[in-house]
């Protein structure tokens, strides 16, 4: 696999990847262990879509993450695990130990009857067993579906049902900052409605008492008694499914994004090595949760494929205080640090007193992901964390892309605050106007599409291929549509401006406005609601909800509390609206469509210049909304 080292080399590699994509990716794929080689590198069309990489090849991603490294790295640390509470002891896991743990757990899964192709739901906090769980599934060819442990029982149930999981892997509880979360209880509530779940394996973390259902629930440590570490990796097809990860879209329920084994594997390692320019012996830390795609690709698969050493952190950036990230960087001498703009802004707001006590001189590269990074946060990160000597890689990508698509290569690509800069080799971005015409040249803006497949592109949405086609491949013929707006400046650099659909990005979490609306509408007093995003200093975007009630309620504060509880119950605390305005009507066109443009403007605090409202059924509702707008 090529490791790019200069800008000229980047340009040569980029050209190669466009002129001969198959030759280019075959070369990157050479260094992996394949049980059977491919008969064709790529077979694709974006119409159905039908995309296959490394056709007919067989491999196992865990053999490439683990077995392959043992001769040189058995005693090298794979993960430094840092607990939520800094007073608790850290755990160091070598490649050999991780291999043994994964093999043993693989045998537990087999004993429980899990087979290749079965779906296993993983609902766990950030503990080492979580990484083991993903890898053990992958080793037997079972498909993991990780659900972020902050989602509610209702949201978890929906995800388990959608892909008919046969098993749930979970923990008794979770520590998150000062909180103690009853994880197993959430699982119990969820699977009351999930008849496909035959087994639940519970890892003890908090020692919180749990109810164990006989015949269904067992403890992780008890399952491991007398289990062998002998577990050859299953041979799985390159296009066999590796995992499902649910993500929000502009309509309906979250969709199960499906990634397959071969292409995802090649791309995860390629991007990890090239974007972060990881060097032998360095310590990498991605602060994401494994419940999101960033954790899948850049805590678990990318770093392990590359034989890297990384930090896995259980807690939150603000516990026990806002210096925690910097304390951890200092403690493990982290060289490459990858986090989200929302965390940067929150820690910036906390003040430099939390940064000063720690030595950050091990840092060599800084990364950003999840949402547009504003210039101010970029400058603060650069100056106070990177001490103006660490390149910042602003990495743009999505759950659906599997890996980073547009990003500087650390220390190679000249950076510019707010810009994800240039596409990685193999990635062909185009900007498209309203009519679907490709906009050529520089100094232009449009909807961001990709015109050629890269190895870790989404293959389908679980159980509903048509939805995948509709969502990503039908808006513009023969293009993958990202849902993001984007500017290409005079230098050909890309700047992602944010979503152009009804998806909002709150603290780097993707939330569909439709999902929040349907949760709000579950409240008995609500007839209708409309949710929009608005600029928020820390979260990037906040959630603003307009609601219409059946009966006017005098106790608006109480009503708001009930709605927050409803949203927490249906989705989870991350989807709670920041502002709830009770209105008597919503601005609708004669055809009944809500004019969100107006609602967004009001939420932004723009109370005049609302544009053309003449097509509204009842323009008077706008005046009322403006009069009641929340600050
Ligand atoms: C990795 C991840 C995807 C959406 C995407 C964008 C936004 C992500 C950046 C960004 C500007 C970035 N997956 N986004 N990275 N916007 N600059 N560097 O976040 O599926 O959860 O979200 O996030 O809108 O479409 S995700």
């Amino acid at each position: 696999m090529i490791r790019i080292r200069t800008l000229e080399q980047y340009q040569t590699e980029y050209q190669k990847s466009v002129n001969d994509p198959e030759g280019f990716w075959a070369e990157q794929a050479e260094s992996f262990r394949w049980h059977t080689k491919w008969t064709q590198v790529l077979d694709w069309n974006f119409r159905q879509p039908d995309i296959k990489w490394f056709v007919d090849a067989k491999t196992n991603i865990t053999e490439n993450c683990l077995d392959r490294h043992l001769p040189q790295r058995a005693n090298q640390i794979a993960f430094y695990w840092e607990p939520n509470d800094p007073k608790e002891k850290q755990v160091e896991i070598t490649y050999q130990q991780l291999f043994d743990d994964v093999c043993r757990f693989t045998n537990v899964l087999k004993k429980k009857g899990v087979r290749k192709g079965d779906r296993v739901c993983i609902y766990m906090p950030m503990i080492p067993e979580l990484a083991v769980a993903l890898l053990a599934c992958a080793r037997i060819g079972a498909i993991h579906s990780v659900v972020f442990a902050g989602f509610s029982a209702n949201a978890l149930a929906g995800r388990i049902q959608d892909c008919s999981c046969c098993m749930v892997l979970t923990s008794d509880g979770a520590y998150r900052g000062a909180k103690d979360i009853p994880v197993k209880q959430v699982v119990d509530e969820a699977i009351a409605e999930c008849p496909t779940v035959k087994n639940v394996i519970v890892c003890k973390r908090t020692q919180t008492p749990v109810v164990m259902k006989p015949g269904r629930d067992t403890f992780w440590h008890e399952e491991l008694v007398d289990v062998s570490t002998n577990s050859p990796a299953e041979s799985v097809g390159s296009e066999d499914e590796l995992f499902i990860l649910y993500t929000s879209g502009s309509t309906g329920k979250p969709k199960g994004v499906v990634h397959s084994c071969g292409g995802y594997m090649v791309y995860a390692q390629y991007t990890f090595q090239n974007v972060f320019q990881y060097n032998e012996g360095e310590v990498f830390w991605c602060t994401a949760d494994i419940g999101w795609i960033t954790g899948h690709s850049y805590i678990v698969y990318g770093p392990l494929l590359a034989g890297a050493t990384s930090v896995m952190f259980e807690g939150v950036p603000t516990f026990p205080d806002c210096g925690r990230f910097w304390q951890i960087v200092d403690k493990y001498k982290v060289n490459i640090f990858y986090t989200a703009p929302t965390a940067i802004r929150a820690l910036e707001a906390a003040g430099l007193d939390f940064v000063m006590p720690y030595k950050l001189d091990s840092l060599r590269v800084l990364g950003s992901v999840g949402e547009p990074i504003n210039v101010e946060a970029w400058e603060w990160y650069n100056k106070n964390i990177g001490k103006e000597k660490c390149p910042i890689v602003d990495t743009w990508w999505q759950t659906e892309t599997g890996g980073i698509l547009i990003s500087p290569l650390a220390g190679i690509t000249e950076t510019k605050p707010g810009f994800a800069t240039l596409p990685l080799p193999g990635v062909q971005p185009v900007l498209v106007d309203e009519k679907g015409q490709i906009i050529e040249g520089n100094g232009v803006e449009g909807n961001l599409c990709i015109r050629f497949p890269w190895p870790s592109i989404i293959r389908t949405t679980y159980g509903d291929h048509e939805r995948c086609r509709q969502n990503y491949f039908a808006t513009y013929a023969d293009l993958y549509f990202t849902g993001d707006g984007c500017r290409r400046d005079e230098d050909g650099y890309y700047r992602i401006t944010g979503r152009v659909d009804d998806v909002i990005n709150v603290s780097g979490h993707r939330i569909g406005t439709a999902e929040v609306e349907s949760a709000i509408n579950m409240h008995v007093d609500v007839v209708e609601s409309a949710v929009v995003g608005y600029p928020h200093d820390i979260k990037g975007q906040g959630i603003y909800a307009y609601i219409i009630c059946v009966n006017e309620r005098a106790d608006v504060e109480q009503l708001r509390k009930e709605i927050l509880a409803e949203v927490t119950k249906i989705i989870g605390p991350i989807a709670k609206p920041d502002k709830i305005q009770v209105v008597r009507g919503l601005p609708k066109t004669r055809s009944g469509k809500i004019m969100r443009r107006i609602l967004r403007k009001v939420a932004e605090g723009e109370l005049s210049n609302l544009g053309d409202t003449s097509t509204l059924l009842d323009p008077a509702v706008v005046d009322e909304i403006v009069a009641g707008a929340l600050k």
Side-chain angles (χ1 to χ4, degrees):
M1 177 171 288
I2 296 280
R3 158 77 181 271
I4 297 167
R5 294 186 185 272
T6 64
L7 192 59
E8 296 72 65
Q9 203 186 353
Y10 159 74
Q11 276 145 358
T12 320
E13 289 296 308
Y14 189 81
Q15 276 320 313
K16 252 203 266 179
S17 79
V18 172
N19 300 338
D20 175 20
E22 297 199 34
F24 176 85
W25 286 112
E27 188 184 338
Q28 309 315 319
E30 275 310 322
S31 53
F32 292 86
R33 282 202 194 171
W34 298 92
H35 302 166
T36 311
K37 270 287 172 77
W38 49 89
T39 53
Q40 195 183 340
V41 177
L42 171 65
D43 184 12
W44 71 290
N45 74 72
F46 273 176
R47 258 154 292 119
Q48 290 177 304
D50 183 16
I51 305 151
K52 295 193 196 84
W53 280 95
F54 310 111
V55 185
D56 298 322
K58 289 200 179 305
T59 185
N60 188 292
I61 194 168
T62 72
E63 206 177 311
N64 287 287
C65 287
L66 301 169
D67 312 47
R68 172 169 68 141
H69 298 315
L70 292 183
Q72 324 84 20
R73 305 186 190 279
N75 298 319
Q76 181 192 315
I77 288 169
F79 290 117
Y80 286 110
W81 178 75
E82 171 71 11
N84 177 62
D85 184 342
K87 292 198 281 294
E88 193 183 331
K89 235 178 87 132
Q90 72 192 67
V91 176
E92 292 169 6
I93 304 153
T94 63
Y95 271 87
Q96 181 69 53
Q97 286 166 333
L98 185 61
F99 172 80
D100 290 345
D101 289 347
V102 169
C103 288
R104 263 194 294 265
F105 202 67
T106 298
N107 286 326
V108 171
L109 293 177
K110 282 195 207 151
K111 186 170 73 176
K112 291 280 168 190
V114 181
R115 298 280 172 267
K116 187 170 171 180
D118 289 349
R119 276 80 55 217
V120 173
C121 176
I122 304 177
Y123 186 77
M124 291 173 77
M126 285 283 285
I127 55 180
E129 289 84 352
L130 170 55
V132 171
L134 273 75
L135 294 164
C137 288
R139 196 162 179 88
I140 61 173
I143 303 164
H144 57 72
S145 168
V146 182
V147 177
F148 172 62
F151 278 114
S152 71
N154 174 77
L156 173 61
R159 286 158 173 78
I160 293 172
Q161 288 159 356
D162 186 74
C163 64
S164 321
C165 294
C166 64
M167 180 183 259
V168 179
L169 304 176
T170 189
S171 68
D172 51 355
Y175 295 127
R176 258 183 91 76
K179 282 189 241 146
D180 229 330
I181 299 157
V183 178
K184 172 64 162 64
Q185 204 179 300
V186 178
V187 170
D188 289 338
E189 198 184 324
I191 57 180
E193 303 153 49
C194 301
T196 57
V197 175
K198 300 286 178 279
N199 292 103
V200 178
I201 302 181
V202 184
C203 184
K204 282 200 179 180
R205 170 62 184 124
T206 56
Q207 318 305 319
T208 314
V210 290
V211 181
M212 299 292 278
K213 185 172 166 185
R216 188 194 70 185
D217 306 351
T218 52
F219 283 111
W220 192 290
H221 66 280
E222 286 172 3
E223 290 291 353
L224 283 173
V225 175
D226 291 333
V227 168
S228 136
T229 56
N230 177 25
S231 167
E234 180 81 27
S235 219
V236 295
S238 177
E239 279 305 325
D240 286 348
E241 292 140 320
L242 173 63
F243 65 83
I244 303 168
L245 188 58
Y246 286 84
T247 192
S248 295
S250 45
T251 52
K253 286 195 297 181
K255 353 175 229 291
V257 172
V258 174
H259 283 289
S260 60
C261 296
Y264 177 84
M265 171 175 83
V266 171
Y267 201 73
Q269 184 180 337
Y270 182 80
T271 53
F272 175 76
Q273 285 185 182
N274 282 293
V275 169
F276 300 106
Q277 294 283 305
Y278 180 86
N279 296 314
E280 198 63 44
E282 287 189 320
V283 177
F284 175 81
W285 181 22
C286 165
T287 70
D289 190 290
I290 291 174
W292 311 112
I293 189 69
T294 304
H296 280 58
S297 301
Y298 302 109
I299 297 178
V300 181
Y301 292 113
L304 292 177
L305 286 163
T309 293
S310 41
V311 174
M312 176 177 175
F313 175 43
E314 183 185 35
V316 296
T318 50
F319 180 83
D321 63 47
C322 292
R324 189 66 192 279
F325 272 6
W326 321 127
Q327 178 249 328
I328 296 172
V329 167
D330 192 349
K331 176 172 177 185
Y332 297 100
K333 304 291 166 225
V334 170
N335 304 107
I336 307 171
F337 177 72
Y338 189 32
T339 197
T342 189
I344 299 168
R345 289 188 298 262
L347 299 179
E348 172 183 1
L352 287 176
D353 287 352
F354 291 102
V355 183
M356 290 316 181
Y358 305 104
K359 275 224 295 292
L360 303 179
D361 56 350
S362 57
L363 288 173
R364 190 178 63 76
V365 173
L366 300 177
S368 172
V369 61
E371 48 176 321
I373 180 164
N374 49 307
V375 173
E376 202 213 324
W378 195 101
E379 301 284 12
W380 184 87
Y381 198 30
N382 183 40
K383 177 159 182 258
N384 299 291
I385 306 303
K387 317 287 181 193
E388 277 162 3
K389 62 177 184 54
C390 301
I392 296 179
V393 289
D394 177 358
T395 65
W396 174 83
W397 58 298
Q398 311 177 293
T399 306
E400 296 86 343
T401 71
I404 299 165
L405 294 196
I406 305 181
S407 170
L409 306 182
I412 295 172
T413 315
E414 199 181 316
T415 60
K416 208 187 269 191
F419 283 78
T421 74
L422 298 172
L424 299 193
V427 177
Q428 302 185 32
V430 290
L431 301 184
V432 177
D433 67 18
E434 269 94 275
K435 294 187 216 91
Q437 294 295 322
I438 291 180
I439 310 165
E440 307 280 355
N442 290 342
V444 293
E445 204 167 322
N447 287 349
L448 178 62
C449 294
I450 317 286
R451 71 163 145 213
F452 195 86
W454 60 98
S456 63
I457 187 174
I458 180 175
R459 298 304 196 269
T460 190
T461 46
Y462 194 87
D464 193 350
H465 193 63
E466 174 55 17
R467 190 165 176 206
C468 172
R469 190 188 70 80
Q470 271 292 334
N471 248 293
Y472 308 105
F473 299 94
T475 317
Y476 306 110
D478 292 317
L479 298 175
Y480 166 83
F481 176 44
T482 65
D484 281 320
C486 181
R487 181 180 158 69
R488 186 168 53 224
D489 77 355
E490 306 301 337
D491 298 329
Y493 270 28
Y494 291 84
R495 179 197 183 102
I496 314 300
T497 49
R499 303 289 306 195
V500 294
D501 53 9
D502 290 320
V503 170
I504 50 185
N505 194 321
V506 182
S507 302
H509 302 316
R510 253 169 88 166
I511 297 173
T513 54
E515 263 179 275
V516 182
E517 287 163 7
S518 67
I520 293 174
N521 296 350
M522 298 295 281
H523 188 285
V524 285
D525 290 339
V526 177
V527 200
E528 199 183 357
S529 61
V531 165
V532 296
Y534 70 96
H536 185 287
D537 284 348
I538 306 287
K539 299 180 181 185
Q541 282 189 297
I543 305 179
Y544 196 119
Y546 298 87
I547 62 167
I548 304 176
C549 291
V550 202
N551 305 306
E552 214 163 289
R553 279 189 44 171
D555 53 341
V556 175
E557 268 324 301
Q558 175 58 26
L559 173 67
R560 286 200 176 104
K561 276 193 198 139
E562 290 168 16
I563 287 173
L564 296 187
E566 196 69 53
V567 173
T568 304
K569 193 182 112 199
I570 306 285
I571 307 174
I574 56 173
K576 283 196 291 194
D578 298 273
K579 295 180 185 178
I580 301 173
Q581 182 183 351
V582 182
V583 296
R584 260 178 310 176
L586 291 166
K588 288 193 179 171
T589 60
R590 272 167 241 280
S591 60
K593 260 188 84 122
I594 298 173
M595 253 198 201
R596 288 171 184 279
R597 175 174 61 79
I598 292 174
L599 297 178
R600 277 189 213 110
K601 283 212 162 169
V602 173
E604 268 167 38
E606 170 72 68
L607 303 180
S608 46
N609 306 321
L610 292 176
D612 183 15
T613 55
S614 62
T615 57
L616 287 177
L617 199 56
D618 177 11
V621 298
V622 177
D623 301 331
E624 188 233 0
I625 287 174
V626 167
L630 300 169
K631 271 244 196 37

